[in-house]
Amino acid sequence: MNQNLFASFNMPMILGIPLVALFILFPTMLIMPSNNLNNNRSSSIQQWLIQLMLKQMMTNHTIKGRTWSLMLLTLITFITLNNLLGVMPYAFTPTTQLSLNLGMAIPLWMATVLMGLRFKTKATLAHLLPQGTPIPLIPMLIIIETISLFIQPVALAVRLTANITAGHLLMHLLGDTTLILLSTYLSSSVITVIVIILLITLELGVALIQAYVFTLLVSLYLHNNS
Amino acid sequence: MRQDTGRCGQKVHMLQSIIKNVWVSMKLYYTQVYQDIWVEMGMMTLIVYIIQSADKRSKVLKAPVPAHGHP
């Protein structure tokens, strides 16, 4: 049993060596690439899911934007697998760490902005001023749009961190409550067990949705800049 | 034919398989498509380094100063 509520968010260590690389690389072992045309069931399901995600995300992109297909597919697969593996009890979820999420969000966002400035400079700078703005408001609005541009990667990272962390905290709290209630009020513990089951279902949904939202927003920034 | 299975041979073999499996298939991505991402990864590394060195400097400044005459 965890000693405190936040023990599961600490980086697991063996002999003082952090296992962060192991946890980040572990989901890649679950994806099985194959060179066959006809595969077994699990590989076929994986291929079908990848085709579904590709069609969903990349249909509206230009040719330049579609060069990022591999990156965006990898991103959604990585975040989904990490989130789903973290729903298991006592599992460490790398996506609860703000450092990892900022490490994903900032390079991807800035790369899209750089791409826009490099290939479509006028259009990218024009995005800083909405159409039809009254002239006296122009300086103020440019400042506001620039601030909103720089907040995008922070919002991306914090959204993912906060959602996953909040869900895990709730599960821990309810789990501890159930354990305490088991020895005192058994009937109330039945209610908390039902709530935990519902919460785990919600957490599974949140894990998938947050991965999709993260990738969709990066794809949107790419679309705006390509 | 004598097979070089010593440490050096294993490392060369590993490098060859990395080049064949990773670099050859991903060369276009790493050199053309992800140019902006490499630049931003470099900038982020610089930002992390600046923040870490500032943190170390502030910790050194906050550390208690030893009394005069004591090491």
Side-chain angles (χ1 to χ4, degrees):
Chain A
M1 189 173 158
N2 287 333
Q3 286 157 3
N4 67 41
L5 203 54
F6 299 100
S8 63
F9 300 116
N10 295 333
M11 179 65 62
M13 293 211 193
I14 285 183
L15 301 173
I17 303 165
L19 297 173
V20 57
L22 205 68
F23 277 96
I24 289 173
L25 289 173
F26 174 67
T28 56
M29 288 162 55
L30 302 172
I31 307 284
M32 290 161 285
S34 169
N35 292 330
N36 301 327
L37 195 59
N38 293 324
N39 289 309
N40 56 17
R41 283 193 186 92
S42 56
S43 296
S44 301
I45 290 172
Q46 279 176 11
Q47 278 176 357
W48 174 76
L49 279 169
I50 285 170
Q51 271 178 349
L52 184 72
M53 288 190 288
L54 204 58
K55 255 193 276 183
Q56 173 71 27
M57 284 193 305
M58 306 312 292
T59 320
N60 296 330
H61 278 272
T62 57
I63 294 190
K64 189 127 192 75
R66 284 180 193 172
T67 55
W68 277 51
S69 306
L70 194 61
M71 172 61 79
L72 292 175
L73 263 177
T74 313
L75 187 68
I76 193 170
T77 314
F78 175 72
I79 300 176
T80 310
L81 282 173
N82 272 315
N83 290 349
L84 288 174
L85 286 169
V87 177
M88 286 193 297
Y90 298 111
F92 171 71
T93 320
T95 41
T96 54
Q97 308 297 311
L98 190 62
S99 50
L100 177 82
N101 296 333
L102 276 173
M104 287 192 296
I106 290 179
L108 289 172
W109 164 80
M110 254 206 267
T112 59
V113 170
L114 249 195
M115 193 199 275
L117 285 170
R118 197 175 150 195
F119 296 111
K120 284 168 55 177
T121 319
K122 277 187 201 165
T124 306
L125 291 171
H127 273 128
L128 291 177
L129 185 66
Q131 239 175 0
T133 312
I135 294 175
L137 282 177
I138 287 175
M140 176 81 152
L141 221 55
I142 289 179
I143 294 169
I144 290 173
E145 288 289 323
T146 312
I147 293 170
S148 77
L149 181 72
F150 282 100
I151 277 190
Q152 281 172 356
V154 178
L156 261 181
V158 171
R159 184 186 300 113
L160 182 58
T161 310
N163 272 291
I164 305 297
T165 310
H168 283 77
L169 270 176
L170 263 174
M171 284 198 289
H172 285 156
L173 277 169
L174 277 170
D176 288 345
T177 313
T178 311
L179 272 173
I180 293 167
L181 284 175
L182 268 174
S183 51
T184 48
Y185 299 106
L186 195 63
S187 49
S188 310
S189 67
V190 171
I191 298 170
T192 49
V193 165
I194 294 169
V195 172
I196 286 177
I197 292 169
L198 291 172
L199 189 64
I200 290 172
T201 320
L202 176 71
E203 270 308 296
L204 288 169
V206 163
L208 295 169
I209 288 167
Q210 285 307 314
Y212 179 65
V213 162
F214 193 104
T215 315
L216 191 70
L217 284 168
V218 172
S219 160
L220 186 71
Y221 302 151
L222 178 69
H223 185 69
N224 288 341
N225 288 301
S226 67
Chain B
M1 192 161 65
R2 185 172 143 237
Q3 279 184 338
D4 190 0
T5 52
R7 275 191 197 164
C8 200
Q10 281 175 349
K11 284 178 187 165
V12 167
H13 194 67
M14 197 170 78
L15 192 64
Q16 281 173 345
S17 85
I18 287 173
I19 290 171
K20 192 181 100 182
N21 294 325
V22 178
W23 179 252
V24 167
S25 50
M26 296 290 289
K27 189 167 72 170
L28 211 59
Y29 284 96
Y30 292 154
T31 51
Q32 304 281 337
V33 179
Y34 297 159
Q35 282 172 353
D36 307 303
I37 295 180
W38 292 126
V39 171
E40 301 319 323
M41 275 177 69
M43 272 182 69
M44 214 184 60
T45 315
L46 184 69
I47 292 168
V48 166
Y49 170 72
I50 289 171
I51 292 172
Q52 274 183 344
S53 64
D55 187 38
K56 268 186 207 164
R57 246 182 286 135
S58 75
K59 277 186 185 153
V60 163
L61 285 168
K62 278 184 200 163
V65 181
H68 184 68
H70 293 272

